[in-house]
Amino acid sequence: MRNRHAARRRTLGLLFATAVAGALPPVHAQGTQNKVVRIGYQKYGTLTLLKGRGTLDKRLAQQGVTVQWTEFPAGPQLLEGLNVGSIDFGTVGEAPPIFAQAAGAQLVYVGNEPPSPHSEAIVVPRDSKLKTVADLKGKRIALNKGSNVHYLLLRALEQAGVPYQDVRTVFLPPADARAAFERGAVDAWVIWDPFFAAAQKQLGARVLADGRGLVANHQFYLAARNWARQNAALNQVILDEIARVDEWGRHNPKKVAAILAAQTGLDVAIVELAASRYSYGVKPVTDDVLRAQQRIADAFAGLKLIPQPIAIKDAVLASTR
């Protein structure tokens, strides 16, 4: 069984690498003047804001470094890109690095944003008869496997006294999950911003539960292990610019919404709602945050959602603490 899982991961990795490699320009060698740092981002968040402002690109250009940005639909896909060597640095939620580490990915935690528990939720159609999380027993629930919302669902069901095995999970990426939600193919959808805000604004989706009182919903910055070892100064420049854009964003919510709307193609009203729930302030990963990650990893291992238990501390470089 273990050999089959390993073979499947290698096959998926090769397929992903082939698909991504065709879309990416060649990476210059470390010793050349025009070094490239490859950053993976999702449709929303600080890295999207950083890309939109262009401040990191300008600062690194002065050092002969080019920033190559690649968008991913969700955290698991982003970390697969990191694992196969298509990107060097990226941001995801709490659950994706746990699944990736359990699959053998060589990644390290290099920073995190503060908790943002109300940026993800379990939603149902506005006219749904479901009123509480307990009502989800036996129902079809769409979510992106291995994303932050996977842990939100675990915790919400646990609090409601519903065994995880008693719901019917339908694993779909956000775009496909929304389509299934709209046509009634699923009863509920567990989703994060800005897709969450879009579901509220455009579909009238009703919230059964968000993350408050259940999960922290940290956003983590991660890097490929070898890249982080070899590029400590460059990693610090990226984190410095993230801190700057965080500070700017905290004081300029309207401008944040305008930039994110332009970057994502979403209506400003949707982005404003999503941005109002965001938490700013990148920090080094602390022991408390790592312990919280370990609890999540242990929960996934206990339900056999990852193949074996992992130690989160193994994914931290001493130089990044």
Side-chain angles (χ1 to χ4, degrees):
M1 178 68 73
R2 180 174 297 175
N3 289 337
R4 287 205 302 273
H5 284 311
R8 181 174 180 272
R9 288 197 298 272
R10 286 194 297 269
T11 300
L12 290 174
L14 287 171
L15 289 173
F16 187 91
T18 301
V20 173
L24 299 180
V27 177
H28 297 280
Q30 290 287 330
T32 62
Q33 182 179 3
N34 294 317
K35 280 178 58 175
V36 175
V37 57
R38 302 163 301 169
I39 298 180
Y41 69 102
Q42 298 181 55
K43 203 173 182 66
Y44 176 74
T46 300
L47 286 187
T48 307
L49 185 58
L50 184 61
K51 175 179 179 289
R53 293 206 77 204
T55 52
L56 177 64
D57 302 69
K58 292 175 183 176
R59 179 171 173 182
L60 290 182
Q62 296 171 358
Q63 303 176 26
V65 178
T66 299
V67 182
Q68 180 179 289
W69 299 91
T70 302
E71 182 180 327
F72 292 84
Q77 293 90 329
L78 187 152
L79 290 184
E80 182 62 26
L82 187 146
N83 188 40
V84 300
S86 297
I87 60 170
D88 307 306
F89 183 100
T91 183
V92 300
E94 294 162 336
I98 291 170
F99 279 78
Q101 185 182 348
Q106 292 300 303
L107 55 82
V108 291
Y109 293 84
V110 296
N112 65 266
E113 298 286 350
S116 183
H118 51 313
S119 292
E120 59 180 8
I122 304 170
V123 299
V124 295
R126 82 174 92 201
D127 57 353
S128 172
K129 295 181 180 179
L130 305 179
K131 302 300 181 184
T132 69
V133 173
D135 296 333
L136 292 174
K137 185 174 183 178
K139 304 301 182 183
R140 298 159 298 176
I141 306 171
L143 68 150
N144 196 83
K145 184 178 182 179
S147 288
N148 258 25
V149 293
H150 206 151
Y151 186 58
L152 170 59
L153 179 62
L154 292 187
R155 289 286 295 115
L157 292 174
E158 179 183 51
Q159 187 182 73
V162 178
Y164 177 78
Q165 296 81 0
D166 285 0
V167 300
R168 297 163 61 188
T169 51
V170 180
F171 295 130
L172 296 169
D176 294 338
R178 172 166 170 150
F181 184 79
E182 284 192 75
R183 68 174 182 269
V186 296
D187 302 294
W189 182 19
V190 199
I191 190 58
W192 62 89
D193 277 327
F195 307 103
F196 170 29
Q200 289 180 291
K201 288 287 188 180
Q202 296 173 334
L203 307 179
R206 178 164 51 82
V207 176
L208 276 190
D210 63 23
R212 285 175 287 191
L214 295 171
V215 297
N217 191 28
H218 286 104
Q219 289 294 303
F220 285 104
Y221 298 102
L222 297 109
R225 181 179 294 272
N226 286 338
W227 182 89
R229 281 176 174 158
Q230 298 166 12
N231 295 276
L234 182 52
N235 180 71
Q236 191 56 54
V237 168
I238 296 171
L239 292 174
D240 287 347
E241 288 301 316
I242 290 172
R244 289 171 187 256
V245 83
D246 267 346
E247 183 64 20
W248 177 86
R250 184 183 294 111
H251 300 292
N252 295 277
K254 292 291 185 183
K255 292 180 180 179
V256 166
I259 290 175
L260 291 178
Q263 289 291 309
T264 63
L266 294 170
D267 292 342
V268 171
I270 292 172
V271 179
E272 284 182 342
L273 175 58
S276 72
R277 297 191 280 234
Y278 192 69
S279 297
Y280 296 101
V282 62
K283 302 176 184 297
V285 182
T286 65
D287 288 338
D288 285 344
V289 171
L290 292 176
R291 280 192 288 269
Q293 275 294 90
Q294 189 64 58
R295 288 193 292 272
I296 298 173
D298 293 344
F300 284 137
L303 288 171
K304 309 298 184 186
L305 293 172
I306 56 176
Q308 69 276 326
I310 60 170
I312 296 296
K313 62 181 177 59
D314 292 343
V316 181
L317 292 180
S319 59
T320 62
R321 295 295 301 280

